Amino acid sequence: MTTPADNKNMLSKAFWKSRKGQRIFCIAGLIASVLFLLVQFGGDLGSFFPGRGSKNTLERELKKLQQDQERLKAELADLDAVRTVADSKFIDAWKKSVNGVPEVELRAMIEKTAKDMELRLNNISTVRKTTFNKDLALLELDVSVMTDLDTLTKFLLAVDKLKPALYWRRFEIRMANMFGMPGVNFSGTLRCGSDERPETVSERKKSPDPEQGKAVVK
């Protein structure tokens, strides 16, 4: 128990210079620091020493973050799969630097295929281009023919082997009479993807030079 003499001593400089006074000063400073931190951070010691409830909350938050991470991984995997499929569409697409001007060369390719199959086309339309996005366009042309089923089958199989890859967007087959012989009327629309991405330097080097082969006039 503190006596009046002790209180008097505590107010003296000699007391604070003593070992006992310095110890009390340090303890008082520590208490003041703790009180200051409590005021600054909400006045709750639980924030420094989490209890069971705080631990459970942290565990729930951590589990939620792990679930979000797994969900994001799955979404990224789905996006990569879509990107892979999209990139594969350009493999067999028409490339102007490689295959030529589609409005000319695509039509000529179908005509040659029909000729090789000894098939005379009733009609072949001009090539139409529809922009799908900045990297991809769709090329289409209509074909109609009257022939026997065997010749038509050979033509369809030959078209299926062409590169760049073509496919029938629509077609219609009806039975017909060919000069007293059974035949078929066929009409359909062929479609081809067109790679509209800018050419790379290597592709420009590979593309044919229109000036090559011209005679030099002196």
Side-chain angles (χ1 to χ4, degrees):
M1 194 169 173
T2 305
T3 64
D6 293 333
N7 291 336
K8 185 177 180 180
N9 291 337
M10 291 177 63
L11 297 175
S12 66
K13 293 182 179 180
F15 174 79
W16 292 111
K17 289 182 179 180
S18 66
R19 183 180 298 273
K20 183 177 180 181
Q22 290 176 355
R23 189 181 301 121
I24 293 174
F25 178 81
C26 292
I27 294 172
L30 179 61
I31 294 173
S33 299
V34 171
L35 292 174
F36 174 77
L37 291 174
L38 285 175
V39 172
Q40 288 293 105
F41 296 99
D44 186 5
L45 284 174
S47 60
F48 298 99
F49 307 101
R52 184 64 185 173
S54 299
K55 185 178 179 181
N56 291 339
T57 301
L58 290 174
E59 289 177 348
R60 285 195 300 269
E61 291 296 327
L62 179 60
K63 186 176 181 180
K64 183 177 182 297
L65 288 174
Q66 290 173 339
Q67 290 173 345
D68 290 342
Q69 184 183 31
E70 293 301 320
R71 177 178 55 80
L72 289 174
K73 284 182 179 179
E75 290 178 358
L76 286 175
D78 291 340
L79 288 175
D80 287 339
V82 171
R83 187 179 295 107
T84 300
V85 172
D87 289 341
S88 68
K89 298 298 182 183
F90 291 104
I91 296 176
D92 291 328
W94 190 281
K95 189 73 174 177
K96 186 177 179 180
S97 61
V98 177
N99 307 109
V101 179
E103 289 80 2
V104 177
E105 299 300 332
L106 177 55
R107 195 171 190 272
M109 186 169 67
I110 300 302
E111 289 177 330
K112 181 180 183 304
T113 303
K115 184 178 180 181
D116 292 344
M117 298 299 108
E118 299 181 351
L119 177 65
R120 181 179 178 182
L121 298 174
N122 289 356
N123 180 61
I124 180 170
S125 70
T126 57
V127 177
R128 303 181 298 275
K129 177 187 280 190
T130 303
T131 300
F132 184 75
N133 57 38
K134 65 182 182 64
D135 294 329
L136 181 67
L138 300 176
L139 308 173
E140 290 185 350
L141 78 163
D142 302 320
V143 174
S144 63
V145 62
M146 178 184 288
T147 185
D148 61 88
L149 187 59
D150 183 58
T151 303
L152 176 62
T153 301
K154 291 179 181 178
F155 172 69
L156 295 178
L157 291 174
V159 169
D160 189 58
K161 295 177 182 178
L162 291 175
K163 298 295 180 183
L166 301 169
Y167 65 94
W168 296 98
R169 184 176 70 84
R170 67 160 192 88
F171 65 86
E172 181 182 1
I173 302 177
R174 293 177 297 170
M175 298 301 298
N177 190 325
M178 294 178 55
F179 311 106
M181 299 290 292
V184 290
N185 256 326
F186 174 88
S187 63
T189 300
L190 272 170
R191 175 177 281 180
C192 176
S194 177
D195 188 347
E196 300 295 305
R197 295 175 297 181
E199 296 178 30
T200 62
V201 175
S202 59
E203 287 173 334
R204 284 197 293 270
K205 288 181 179 179
K206 291 180 181 178
S207 60
D209 186 354
E211 298 298 323
Q212 188 176 1
K214 288 187 178 181
V216 178
V217 179
K218 297 184 179 180

